[in-house]
Amino acid sequence: MELENEMISSSSNSSAGSREYKVVMLGAGGVGKSEDAYKTQVRIDDEPAYLDILDTAGQAEFTAMRDQYMRGGEGFIICYSITDRQSFQEAAEFKELIYRVRHTYDIPLVLVGNKIDLEEFRQVSTEEGMSLAREYSCSFFETSAALRFYIDDVFHGLVREIRRKESSLPMAEKKMKRKDSLWRKLKGSLKKKRESTT
Ligand SMILES: Nc1nc2c(ncn2[C@@H]2O[C@H](COP(=O)(O)OP(=O)(O)OP(=O)(O)O)[C@@H](O)[C@H]2O)c(=O)[nH]1
Ligand SMILES: [Mg+2]
């Protein structure tokens, strides 16, 4: 599902009210990233949070842009499908890709195994997911984007991670403001790309 986000950027990172979090969805094609992306406003620990989600596509033509959006994201959702082992193998590679661009492993992220409603087609066990999450030092959720199971937990988990990181970094807010224009440019060009391919 597409997000209409261009209107909101002027209020990004506003001091009062809802704070905006720049979230990048990563994952192989067809794992359910776009289904996940529709929910954008959540209340977490009694504070509203607006999630500005950059929904990347698994296809090859977008991988050239991947470094760019990895630079702008404050948090990452790494998705695979529990019915697709290949997508799990790809999920295991994203942390290195993020590291190459950000030069730190201390990046807020959550790992998501989607499509648990298709249990009979499962190829990746819950234990394997948990074990990768341990390697990543991140939280792990199994979800069904189709049935809206545990989707809120994913966003809550990620925002908590971002807040925790921020509270340990006093200069974080300034850094994020500088990234706003890059982020908007990226989202604009992804949008154009999609329009030209559909
Ligand atoms: N059964 C089931 N189907 C799902 C679930 N999530 C997504 N799908 C379906 O899987 C297909 C792919 O979902 P998308 O959200 O388009 O996948 P994507 O990760 O955005 O794929 P790309 O944009 O190609 O990278 C669609 O037909 C969805 O309806 C889920 O939790 N359960
Ligand atoms: Mg998609």
Side-chain angles (χ1 to χ4, degrees):
M1 197 170 294
E2 285 298 318
L3 290 175
E4 278 317 317
N5 37 52
E6 319 310 326
M7 310 305 299
I8 308 141
S9 33
S10 59
S11 64
S12 67
N13 287 319
S14 62
S15 49
S18 180
R19 148 89 155 82
E20 183 184 294
Y21 295 87
K22 299 179 182 67
V23 174
V24 179
M25 302 279 278
L26 298 170
V31 300
K33 296 182 297 297
S34 303
E35 291 255 331
D36 263 1
Y38 103 102
K39 178 128 187 200
T40 56
Q41 176 116 48
V42 291
R43 263 196 102 72
I44 296 151
D45 302 333
D46 237 26
E47 265 181 74
Y50 179 81
L51 300 181
D52 188 3
I53 295 165
L54 184 66
D55 171 32
T56 70
Q59 288 88 358
E61 70 259 36
F62 286 95
T63 54
M65 294 185 72
R66 201 167 47 197
D67 282 9
Q68 278 179 277
Y69 45 73
M70 282 185 178
R71 242 168 237 130
E74 292 171 79
F76 293 84
I77 298 174
I78 300 178
C79 282
Y80 64 90
S81 164
I82 64 148
T83 65
D84 177 0
R85 174 151 296 277
Q86 174 68 34
S87 74
F88 182 65
Q89 275 149 6
E90 287 185 36
E93 287 165 16
F94 280 116
K95 191 138 188 187
E96 280 311 309
L97 291 175
I98 298 171
Y99 181 79
R100 256 193 9 218
V101 171
R102 304 290 284 265
H103 308 293
T104 171
Y105 287 110
D106 188 20
I107 299 284
L109 60 90
V110 296
L111 179 67
V112 174
N114 188 40
K115 304 201 185 182
I116 53 167
D117 55 295
L118 300 178
E119 184 61 41
E120 65 271 39
F121 303 108
R122 182 189 279 274
Q123 295 181 356
V124 183
S125 72
T126 304
E127 289 68 32
E128 288 174 285
M130 287 169 70
S131 151
L132 180 59
R134 260 196 305 276
E135 216 177 282
Y136 275 2
S137 309
C138 74
S139 3
F140 170 60
F141 302 95
E142 285 194 335
T143 62
S144 168
L147 301 180
R148 313 291 315 148
F149 285 171
Y150 306 109
I151 300 299
D152 287 357
D153 301 88
V154 170
F155 293 131
H156 285 214
L158 185 60
V159 169
R160 287 220 180 85
E161 280 290 313
I162 296 172
R163 285 184 185 165
R164 181 155 53 222
K165 174 129 191 285
E166 246 170 38
S167 60
S168 67
L169 273 182
M171 297 302 282
E173 187 107 27
K174 280 185 184 162
K175 281 191 189 153
M176 279 169 331
K177 281 202 167 129
R178 266 190 272 130
K179 282 179 182 159
D180 271 2
S181 59
L182 168 68
W183 184 257
R184 248 169 272 150
K185 222 181 285 165
L186 270 169
K187 296 198 79 169
S189 59
L190 271 181
K191 197 162 180 250
K192 258 180 243 141
K193 207 158 188 157
R194 271 207 204 91
E195 282 162 1
S196 72
T197 54
T198 48

